[in-house]
């Protein structure tokens, strides 16, 4: 895949997340792909684990806003800034359990915003082989 195709694939990933289409998201991943969220849950590998990871995010009504991706010169990677907004439950509860996020008021009504950088590795056939999100606790905010 050339740089333009990799950038389009990264944006297509974002579009599928926002569409809430779990099967279409998983189709973008290689069978042995790894999704890593260094500050959040443990890394997951393989279609079944990737499906479970995104099922959790979709259950929280995640919406992502992606900036224009930047293609790596290694013919493999794309880097993309993403701002995600999701229901506090169930994902934000994990952050709170780990002491990263205080939720005032009713957690059932709260939403969480998270800014992150995603480093996406895409193989020559266009499948995602690794997606790694980078963010810190200062990149989290509770919305009303």
């Amino acid at each position: 895949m050339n740089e333009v195709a990799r950038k389009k694939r990264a944006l297509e990933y974002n579009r599928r997340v926002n569409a809430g289409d779990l099967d279409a998201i998983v189709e973008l991943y290689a069978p042995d792909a790894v999704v890593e969220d260094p500050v959040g849950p443990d890394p997951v590998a393989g279609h079944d684990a990737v499906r479970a990871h995104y099922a959790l995010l979709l259950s929280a009504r995640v919406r992502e806003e992606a900036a224009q991706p930047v293609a790596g010169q290694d013919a493999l990677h794309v880097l993309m800034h993403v701002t995600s907004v999701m229901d506090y439950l169930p994902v934000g509860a994990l952050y709170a359990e780990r002491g990263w996020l205080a939720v005032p008021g009713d957690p059932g009504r709260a939403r969480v915003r998270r800014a992150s950088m995603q480093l996406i590795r895409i193989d020559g056939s266009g499948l995602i082989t690794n997606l790694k999100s980078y963010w810190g606790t200062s990149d989290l905010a509770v919305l009303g």
Side-chain angles (χ1 to χ4, degrees), residues 2-4 6-7 68-79:
N2 65 29
E3 289 180 12
V4 173
R6 285 195 323 273
K7 289 166 41 172
Q68 185 62 37
V70 176
Q73 295 301 308
D74 60 0
L76 292 171
H77 289 91
V78 173
L79 185 64

Side-chain angles (χ1 to χ4, degrees), residues 13 22 53 75-76 80 98 136:
Y13 154 79
L22 184 56
H53 173 77
L76 292 171
M80 187 166 62
R98 296 181 181 185

Side-chain angles (χ1 to χ4, degrees), residues 2-143:
N2 65 29
E3 289 180 12
V4 173
R6 285 195 323 273
K7 289 166 41 172
K8 285 181 180 179
R9 182 53 53 105
L11 291 172
E12 176 61 16
Y13 154 79
N14 182 256
R15 187 195 69 75
R16 291 183 187 193
V17 168
N18 287 335
D21 189 340
L22 184 56
D23 291 333
I25 295 167
V26 175
E27 284 176 1
L28 289 174
Y29 282 90
D32 58 349
V34 176
V35 175
E36 298 177 75
D37 192 345
V39 181
D42 293 331
V44 299
H47 276 172
D48 291 341
V50 167
R51 177 179 297 282
H53 173 77
Y54 284 102
L56 181 67
L57 288 176
L58 295 179
S59 76
R61 298 183 311 133
V62 67
R63 295 287 301 161
E64 294 186 347
E65 183 177 323
Q68 185 62 37
V70 176
Q73 295 301 308
D74 60 0
L76 292 171
H77 289 91
V78 173
L79 185 64
M80 187 166 62
H81 181 267
V82 176
T83 301
S84 304
V85 176
M86 66 194 90
D87 289 344
Y88 171 78
L89 298 174
V91 180
L94 171 69
Y95 302 154
E97 285 173 12
R98 296 181 181 185
W100 302 334
L101 186 65
V103 179
D106 181 3
R109 295 178 158 255
R111 304 265 292 156
V112 175
R113 181 179 61 232
R114 181 183 80 177
S116 66
M117 294 299 292
Q118 292 181 344
L119 181 62
I120 306 169
R121 182 183 173 114
I122 302 172
D123 69 15
S125 69
L127 294 176
I128 297 171
T129 60
N130 188 278
L131 186 145
K132 193 169 194 173
S133 294
Y134 292 92
W135 57 277
T137 56
S138 63
D139 300 313
L140 292 172
V142 177
L143 308 176

